[in-house]
Amino acid sequence: MSGRGKKTVPKPKTSVSRSSRAGITFPVGRIHRLLRKGHYAERVGNGASVYLAAVLEYLCAEILELAGNASRDNKKQRIAPRHILLAVKNDEELNKLLAGVTISDGGVIPNIQASLLPKKTKAPKDDSSAKDVESQEF
């Protein structure tokens, strides 16, 4: 007898997802799988899927925040495709990123060309105010 007693069985470790390790919501494992299956490159590093998931999450959060503001401006509770379109087109950087994208059911940005607007006419001025200013000689 060596006197060491019974060995304790180590508790099985619970698996921690790569998304929770990175502190993001988007699925890192799924993006990694899609990168491998898409044949974009022969080899795909582990950091690539984490980075791509973080970028996608940031873009999604940015668009949703601006679309939520647009829906609140239109006094709506729900974000519609119209609000997403307004959010993207009114933001300079997102508009450049999504320049060739058509958002279904989004409509168009309201715009009237200046040449089509009615011309302003000047109202004739009354000369009665000029008469009141004349000198008061007796």
Side-chain angles (χ1 to χ4, degrees), residues 58-59 62 66 87-99:
Y58 169 74
L59 286 174
E62 190 74 22
L66 293 173
V88 167
K89 296 296 180 188
N90 287 328
D91 187 76
E92 183 181 335
E93 293 173 339
L94 285 175
N95 189 24
K96 189 175 179 183
L97 178 68
L98 302 175

Side-chain angles (χ1 to χ4, degrees), residues 43-59:
R43 297 156 40 140
V44 177
N46 287 329
S49 54
V50 175
Y51 196 89
L52 182 58
V55 169
L56 290 175
E57 182 174 327
Y58 169 74
L59 286 174

Side-chain angles (χ1 to χ4, degrees), residues 20-38:
S20 61
R21 277 189 195 153
I24 56 178
T25 308
F26 270 49
V28 174
R30 181 179 299 174
I31 291 175
H32 188 71
R33 184 191 77 224
L34 293 172
L35 282 174
R36 279 188 281 117
K37 300 277 183 181

Side-chain angles (χ1 to χ4, degrees), residues 92-138:
E92 183 181 335
E93 293 173 339
L94 285 175
N95 189 24
K96 189 175 179 183
L97 178 68
L98 302 175
V101 175
T102 302
I103 297 175
S104 176
D105 222 5
V108 295
I109 295 292
N111 184 26
I112 301 174
Q113 294 181 359
S115 62
L116 298 175
L117 292 173
K119 295 179 180 174
K120 295 181 182 178
T121 57
K122 294 183 179 179
K125 293 184 179 179
D126 290 334
D127 290 329
S128 62
S129 62
K131 292 178 182 175
D132 296 338
V133 181
E134 291 179 357
S135 64
Q136 298 178 355
E137 291 182 14
F138 296 105

